[in-house]
Amino acid sequence: MIQFSHVGKRFRRHQVLNDINLTINRGERVALVGSNGAGKTTLIRALLGEYVCDGKVTVSGLSPRQNRREVLSRIGFVPQLPPPLKMPVGQLIHFAASLCAADPAHIESTVSALGLDTDRVRRQPFVKLSGGQKQKLLIAIALGRDCDVLVMDEPAANLDPEARRVLFQLLAKKSAATAMIISSHRLDEVASLVNRVVEMDCGKVVLDDHVEDSVDMMSFLRCELKLVRAEVAFANAIDEWGFVTIDQGLSWRGEVSGSDRLRFMGLLSRYAGLLKGISMEDAKH
């Protein structure tokens, strides 16, 4: 479906992409990972037809440069950096829906599911929203259209845990019929969603591997944490996950969605010396 054949891109003397060869089929959910400067965003922009590159890029046989309107009509895109749009939120939703023949109500319902009250911000300029609000709206616009390719550059950035859970559930519903490219500099951000990992470094693909994707996106872990002592830094960190204390900061209870298990364990690893006990029970809403 998506084909990169010997793709290269140079900015002056800097080779940003170096002989990239990738094929991504419908149903594949690819984590495009690598450090900043590895070439991930440049590869995405080549797919969107924004750059003239060496080699060949096609989407179902069509060139994003030569058939840009037709190719872009098939792609839902979430950029890493939100555009500085001054358009009011309500107007932006209707404008975006008109471009891809989508239902504005579907976009608004997706925004609401992600935790943004569109009625409250409808008249606000997009550029005045917070980072998390902008991200939720851009995700809703991408998911609110009928497309068979989803391209998301750091989609979980600025999202709270509940919005991440909803996002991953929405993506899981689209997974069978859609080819996804999810760019992130950290694999644990998207590990539970994807079934393939492509790692880039210095403009080259250094790893391309299929992975297990058996985590149930509708499941969650019911957790109880016990500490050797109360700690303000831990309280601030765990509070962002919606946990509540049941013993003046010495015990905490909460839930972690299936999509965020690895990321949550990464958080706990930072406080390993503070933990006295961990209880986790797999459950389902």
Side-chain angles (χ1 to χ4, degrees), residues 5 75 102 116-117 153 185 272:
S5 300
I75 298 177
L116 176 59
D117 185 353
D153 201 349
H185 67 285

Side-chain angles (χ1 to χ4, degrees), residues 160-175:
D160 55 86
E162 176 60 19
R164 284 173 52 84
R165 181 186 68 81
V166 173
L167 167 62
F168 279 38
Q169 289 180 355
L170 291 172
L171 293 178
K173 292 177 181 179
K174 285 181 169 286
S175 60

Side-chain angles (χ1 to χ4, degrees), residues 101-123:
D103 183 356
H106 183 43
I107 294 177
E108 292 200 16
S109 67
T110 304
V111 175
S112 296
L114 290 166
L116 176 59
D117 185 353
T118 52
D119 290 335
R120 188 169 61 85
V121 299
R122 186 174 301 277
R123 291 182 173 82

